[in-house]
Amino acid sequence: MMHSRRIVLSFVCAVVLVLSVIVADCPAETRTWTGAVSDDWYDGNNWTPAGGPEMFDILNILSGSTQADWVGTGSGGSITVSGSATALSSRGLDIGDTGAGTFTQYGGTVVVTDELRVGDNEGSNGNYNLHAGSLQANRIDIGEDGGTGTFTQTGGTVSAGQVWTGGDNGTYYLQAGTLSTDEYFLEG
C-alpha cells in the first residue's frame, strides 16, 4: 500500500514538473505594430519583432491602422493603443476571454462592429482602461457568463448600441469622458 502511494506521489510530482517547464517555456513577447506590409492583424511581418500575436504577448499599437476579424488578449496578454492616428478595427474584441487580460487605450480610435467582451467566460478576468481616444462598438459585454470584467473610463468617448454588465461580476466606472449608448443592461 505504501509503495503504491509513493508511485502515485512520484507521478503527480513528475506531471507538475513537466507542466511547470511547459509554462515557463512560453514567455510573453512584447510586440509593436508596424503595419509594414498591410493592415492585417495576423500577418507576422506587421509586427516587431516579426511574428503574429500569441496568447501571452504584450501588444503595442502606437501608430497606423490594423484590421482583424476577431482580436483578443488570450490568457495573460495585454494590448495597448496610443497615438491620435491609431486605428484598430475588428468584428470582435475579447479581453480576458480565457484567463486574465488587459486592454489600455491612451488615444486613437477602436471600432468593434460586433461585440467587445471584457471578462466574458467562467473564471476569466478582463480589464478595459480608456484614458483618451474613442471606442465605437455595437455591443459591450462586461463580466458575462461567469467571468469578471471591469471597464474604467477616465477620459475619451464611448459610443455603443448596447452595454451589458453582469451583475456582481461586471462593472463600468465612468470617471470622466462621455458614454453614449442606446441601451444599458444590468444583470443580477
Side-chain angles (χ1 to χ4, degrees):
M1 185 75 158
M2 182 65 104
H3 182 67
S4 65
R5 284 185 185 161
R6 213 176 274 151
I7 291 173
V8 169
L9 182 59
S10 296
F11 176 75
V12 169
C13 289
V15 168
V16 168
L17 179 63
V18 168
L19 289 175
S20 298
V21 169
I22 290 171
V23 171
D25 200 31
C26 300
E29 182 79 53
T30 298
R31 298 186 190 283
T32 301
W33 174 259
T34 64
V37 176
S38 66
D39 63 358
D40 184 355
W41 177 266
Y42 303 104
D43 187 333
N45 295 315
N46 285 320
W47 296 93
T48 299
E54 297 291 335
M55 186 181 301
F56 297 101
D57 285 353
I58 298 164
L59 307 175
N60 297 301
I61 306 168
L62 307 175
S63 63
S65 63
T66 178
Q67 289 189 318
D69 182 46
W70 207 276
V71 175
T73 60
S75 178
S78 68
I79 299 173
T80 300
V81 174
S82 62
S84 60
T86 303
L88 170 62
S89 179
S90 176
R91 182 172 63 89
L93 180 58
D94 285 326
I95 310 303
D97 181 46
T98 58
T102 301
F103 190 104
T104 304
Q105 186 176 353
Y106 292 107
T109 301
V110 175
V111 178
V112 181
T113 59
D114 192 3
E115 277 186 274
L116 164 60
R117 300 186 296 209
V118 183
D120 195 45
N121 282 314
E122 185 71 38
S124 66
N125 187 332
N127 295 287
Y128 194 112
N129 303 301
L130 176 62
H131 300 288
S134 66
L135 167 64
Q136 301 166 25
N138 182 49
R139 178 177 165 146
I140 301 173
D141 289 331
I142 307 166
E144 294 285 321
D145 299 326
T148 300
T150 303
F151 192 111
T152 303
Q153 184 177 355
T154 60
T157 302
V158 174
S159 176
Q162 298 176 334
V163 177
W164 289 72
T165 56
D168 293 337
N169 296 334
T171 306
Y172 194 117
Y173 293 109
L174 178 59
Q175 297 171 351
T178 304
L179 167 63
S180 173
T181 184
D182 296 332
E183 299 176 283
Y184 187 91
F185 296 94
L186 175 62
E187 294 182 73

